[in-house]
């Protein structure tokens, strides 16, 4: 039987917490080394970045002078990278650790973490280039022109990003929800700035966010598992309904959130009267509950002598 939605969400929540807490020994060691080096560089600031240091002395060789002169810049870059990495790591840890109370908070936290990583990476590149003497003002201005030109040719990408932001902030669906897009029904396993991934029966389908139209969110409200059972026309409908009324409360379905309901005659078929039964459940358990409901109704009808008709063919032969 499939796991209940509550259990799935609980697993997702614990996974996010574990990922936030467990940074990994390698990353911790790197951060520790960078932090120690940064502290030492600030302690020895005058010896490294002062006007009269070993790095500014004349060694009689352009190569050596250039090599020694580059060392303070390398140390400055390490300072910037280490401080940025520590602050970013703590910020991502705080966001991932705090926003784990609901599916929406987990979705928003992941999107925020992705945005923070991209923004920090871009800013870090600009600052490091400035340390090496690159004119970042001209670079940013040129980047703006390039962005405008590239943006005209990347309208679909921009549309994906904007659509993704609207999906998250309008709370159309969240991680763990089951939705249907273009006749594909699946569980939302990942939401990115540009794409959304749905998983169904071991397959993952990737949609561009701008292509997510006419979405059917099947997790927002309780779903309904349905069962249609035919009885013979010769059966007394009134007696059958009395039996149903008496026996139906005894039926217990795993995964159902409420009791089974009898909704009356659904159709008058070619060979029988079709009765309609329903039970509310969570979308993730819908098909499991539906199969169990069919089995329980068949057993109930058999125990009370209510026949379920089947198609018959009568063949006439000429004498």
């Amino acid at each position: 039987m499939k796991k209940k939605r509550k259990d799935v969400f609980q697993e997702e929540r614990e996974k996010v917490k574990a990922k936030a807490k467990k940074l990994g020994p390698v990353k911790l060691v790197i951060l520790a080394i960078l932090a120690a080096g940064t502290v030492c560089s600030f302690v020895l600031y005058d010896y490294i970045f002062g006007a009269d240091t070993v790095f500014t002395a004349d060694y009689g060789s352009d190569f050596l002078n250039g090599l020694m002169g580059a060392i303070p810049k390398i140390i400055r870059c390490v300072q910037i990278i280490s401080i940025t990495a520590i602050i970013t790591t703590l910020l991502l840890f705080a966001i991932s650790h705090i926003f784990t109370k609901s599916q929406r908070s987990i979705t928003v936290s992941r999107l925020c973490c992705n945005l923070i990583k991209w923004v920090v990476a871009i800013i870090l590149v600009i600052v490091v280039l400035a340390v090496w003497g690159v004119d970042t003002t001209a670079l940013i201005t040129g980047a703006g022109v390039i962005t405008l030109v590239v943006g005209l040719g990347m309208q679909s990408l921009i549309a994906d990003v904007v659509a993704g932001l609207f999906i998250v902030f309008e709370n159309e669906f969240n991680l763990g929800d089951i939705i249907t897009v273009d006749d594909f029904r699946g569980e939302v396993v990942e939401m990115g700035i540009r794409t959304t991934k749905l998983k169904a029966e071991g397959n993952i389908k990737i949609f561009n966010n701008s292509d997510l139209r006419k979405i059917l969110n099947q997790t927002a409200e309780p779903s309904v598992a349905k069962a249609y059972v035919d009885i013979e026309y010769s059966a007394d409908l009134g007696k059958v309904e009395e039996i149903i009324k008496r026996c139906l409360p005894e039926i217990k379905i795993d995964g159902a959130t409420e009791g089974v309901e009898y909704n009356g005659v659904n159709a008058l078929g070619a060979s029988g009267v079709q009765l309609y039964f329903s039970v509310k459940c969570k979308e993730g358990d819908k098909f499991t509950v539906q199969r169990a409901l069919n089995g329980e109704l068949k057993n109930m009808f058999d125990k009370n002598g209510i026949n379920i008709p089947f198609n018959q063919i009568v063949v006439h032969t000429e004498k």
Side-chain angles (χ1 to χ4, degrees):
M1 181 179 177
K2 292 183 179 178
K3 297 179 181 178
K4 295 182 179 179
R5 299 292 303 162
K6 184 177 180 180
D7 297 334
V8 174
F9 171 65
Q10 188 66 25
E11 287 183 4
E12 183 67 22
R13 180 179 176 181
E14 294 301 326
K15 188 187 298 182
V16 172
K17 283 187 175 182
K19 186 177 180 180
K21 293 178 180 179
K22 188 178 180 181
L23 296 175
V26 176
K27 190 173 183 179
L28 287 174
V29 170
I30 294 174
L31 287 176
I33 294 173
L34 290 175
T38 302
V39 172
C40 293
S41 65
F42 280 112
V43 172
L44 303 174
Y45 187 88
D46 292 335
Y47 295 97
I48 299 174
F49 303 104
D52 298 324
T53 65
V54 294
F55 302 111
T56 58
D58 186 4
Y59 292 93
S61 171
D62 293 339
F63 175 75
L64 288 177
N65 291 338
L67 182 62
M68 296 299 290
I71 292 178
K73 296 180 180 179
I74 295 174
I75 296 175
R76 178 72 73 184
C77 292
V78 172
Q79 285 181 337
I80 295 171
I81 293 172
S82 59
I83 293 173
T84 304
I86 292 172
I87 294 175
T88 304
T89 301
L90 293 175
L91 182 60
L92 296 178
F93 173 82
I95 292 174
S96 301
H97 183 70
I98 294 173
F99 297 102
T100 55
K101 296 181 180 180
S102 64
Q103 289 175 296
R104 175 165 170 74
S105 62
I106 291 177
T107 304
V108 173
S109 68
R110 288 192 178 182
L111 181 63
C112 290
C113 288
N114 289 333
L115 286 173
I116 289 171
K117 289 177 182 177
W118 279 102
V119 173
V120 169
I122 294 172
I123 295 175
L124 194 60
V125 169
I126 294 174
V127 174
V128 169
L129 290 176
V131 172
W132 289 93
V134 178
D135 187 359
T136 54
T137 303
L139 182 64
I140 294 173
T141 304
V145 176
I146 294 173
T147 301
L148 179 62
V149 175
V150 174
L152 295 176
M154 300 179 66
Q155 295 181 8
S156 61
L157 176 60
I158 297 173
D160 291 336
V161 174
V162 173
L165 294 175
F166 276 109
I167 288 172
V168 172
F169 291 111
E170 290 182 357
N171 198 23
E172 295 181 2
F173 56 84
N174 295 300
L175 286 173
D177 286 356
I178 296 177
I179 65 174
T180 298
V181 182
D182 293 338
D183 297 327
F184 185 87
R185 175 185 178 276
E187 178 184 356
V188 181
V189 293
E190 185 175 334
M191 292 180 63
I193 300 176
R194 191 177 64 85
T195 61
T196 296
K197 297 181 181 179
L198 304 184
K199 181 179 180 181
E201 298 180 354
N203 299 318
I204 294 180
K205 189 167 184 177
I206 303 173
F207 290 91
N208 288 345
N209 290 332
S210 60
D211 294 333
L212 294 175
R213 299 183 180 90
K214 298 180 180 179
I215 302 170
L216 176 62
N217 190 338
Q218 298 174 276
T219 314
E221 298 292 338
S223 297
V224 178
K226 303 176 182 179
Y228 301 95
V229 183
D230 289 355
I231 61 173
E232 295 177 335
Y233 274 106
S234 59
D236 188 333
L237 182 60
K239 292 182 179 180
V240 171
E241 289 183 337
E242 288 180 2
I243 294 173
I244 293 173
K245 185 177 180 181
R246 184 181 73 252
C247 299
L248 209 58
E250 300 176 0
I251 296 179
K252 304 298 180 184
I253 306 293
D254 291 337
T257 57
E258 297 181 8
V260 181
E261 294 183 2
Y262 168 62
N263 304 102
V265 177
N266 184 68
L268 300 177
S271 58
V273 179
Q274 188 179 77
L275 307 182
Y276 171 35
F277 298 85
S278 65
V279 60
K280 290 185 177 181
C281 62
K282 295 182 179 179
E283 180 62 27
D285 301 327
K286 179 178 178 179
F287 296 110
T288 302
V289 171
Q290 186 171 304
R291 289 190 292 268
L293 178 60
N294 287 331
E296 293 292 339
L297 292 176
K298 173 65 167 59
N299 293 334
M300 182 186 74
F301 282 8
D302 289 344
K303 289 179 181 178
N304 291 276
I306 303 174
N307 295 326
I308 298 176
F310 51 89
N311 293 331
Q312 301 183 24
I313 299 177
V314 178
V315 180
H316 294 274
T317 58
E318 185 178 357
K319 294 183 181 180

